[in-house]
Amino acid sequence: SQQGEEDPQALSIQEGENATMNCSYKTSINNLQWYRQNSGRGLVHLILIRSNEREKHSGRLRVTLDTSKKSSSLLITASRAADTASYFCATGEYGNKLVFGAGTILRVKS
Amino acid sequence: DTAVSQTPKYLVTQMGNDKSIKCEQNLGHDTMYWYKQDSKKFLKIMFSYNNKELIINETVPNRFSPKSPDKAHLNLHINSLELGDSAVYFCASSLGIAGIFDEQYFGPGTRLTVT
């Protein structure tokens, strides 16, 4: 079953702007992860946030997690053309698996 | 050095044929996975092996049979291919079990087209 749902489905911004993507999920989770997929490639792990954490940073990425609202957001600051990709959230369920959302397609125009 | 590799990258075949996709990881990970990504980019887990033991077996037709000869390899064999099997298949690995605490490393994918 699909757990995470990303919003928006697609996002187009200018280089240098910030991009925010949201993810909502339905059940209790152990962790939530964000992945990037460039066209025609495999997924690349970006960041993992545990259920007892509220915010995490990695370079230009900032992830927040609100377990009371069952939602997470991924902020990419000062976007670059190379950030153009699909972004997926994945929830770590208490069943030993990651369940992926449908993804947000981000296009950064130079 | 490629961390997770898959072969072949592209596979075009006719309905009814049997085909295999191979996956190898050189990360020393204990857990490996097969995912299917459909045309809408929705990624769904199919199987997971931990130290050669099957730990996740989602609702997948039994025409799909995974085989893990050792913890560095996880192959996927598909019998009697159908049009609906057309998709991109990704292999992935993680040190522990990803749903609990670990990130996954993905292969480049195998694009399967059934005609």
Side-chain angles (χ1 to χ4, degrees):
Chain A
S1 62
Q2 186 175 354
Q3 167 76 305
E5 292 189 9
E6 285 90 341
D7 169 56
Q9 289 185 332
L11 181 59
S12 184
I13 58 174
Q14 290 293 135
E15 207 165 25
E17 293 180 340
N18 295 342
T20 299
M21 287 158 268
N22 302 298
C23 170
S24 59
Y25 57 92
K26 298 187 178 85
T27 63
S28 295
I29 62 170
N30 181 282
N31 66 68
L32 188 144
Q33 304 183 29
W34 285 91
Y35 287 80
R36 183 188 75 231
Q37 184 179 30
N38 291 88
S39 181
R41 302 284 191 91
L43 281 74
V44 174
H45 181 263
L46 295 175
I47 200 162
L48 181 155
I49 187 166
R50 302 195 192 287
S51 59
N52 61 353
E53 296 176 310
R54 291 296 165 257
E55 189 170 311
K56 209 158 182 185
H57 296 253
S58 176
R60 293 184 296 113
L61 306 181
R62 173 179 168 250
V63 167
T64 61
L65 178 64
D66 187 335
T67 52
S68 66
K69 294 182 180 176
K70 291 187 166 58
S71 68
S72 173
S73 68
L74 169 67
L75 168 68
I76 303 174
T77 59
S79 63
R80 304 166 182 167
D83 295 327
T84 294
S86 293
Y87 290 82
F88 295 87
C89 70
T91 47
E93 296 190 344
Y94 289 95
N96 304 331
K97 63 183 180 182
L98 281 183
V99 180
F100 285 80
T104 292
I105 299 170
L106 172 66
R107 182 181 169 216
V108 181
K109 296 178 281 188
S110 54
Chain B
D1 256 357
T2 305
V4 181
S5 59
Q6 293 178 230
T7 53
K9 189 165 173 60
Y10 300 97
L11 190 50
V12 180
T13 188
Q14 292 184 327
M15 279 174 51
N17 285 348
D18 303 338
K19 290 293 178 187
S20 292
I21 307 171
K22 295 186 175 183
C23 177
E24 176 181 2
Q25 55 96 1
N26 62 6
L27 297 166
H29 287 170
D30 287 338
T31 311
M32 296 185 73
Y33 312 80
W34 277 112
Y35 286 88
K36 179 181 180 181
Q37 187 174 45
D38 63 23
S39 57
K40 295 184 180 176
K41 297 286 188 101
F42 179 47
L43 195 69
K44 186 168 170 56
I45 190 166
M46 301 172 69
F47 302 103
S48 173
Y49 274 74
N50 179 263
N51 271 321
K52 302 196 301 175
E53 282 197 34
L54 183 66
I55 58 170
I56 294 174
N57 184 355
E58 291 292 283
T59 308
V60 175
N62 54 19
R63 297 182 296 103
F64 290 79
S65 53
K67 282 192 173 50
S68 181
D70 55 60
K71 72 174 194 177
H73 295 85
L74 179 61
N75 303 322
L76 183 66
H77 188 75
I78 316 170
N79 289 327
S80 304
L81 278 154
E82 300 177 358
L83 292 176
D85 297 332
S86 294
V88 182
Y89 292 84
F90 286 100
C91 177
S93 72
S94 62
L95 184 59
I97 296 173
I100 298 177
F101 44 66
D102 277 339
E103 64 193 76
Q104 291 185 2
Y105 292 76
F106 281 78
T110 295
R111 182 173 293 277
L112 172 65
T113 304
V114 183
T115 61

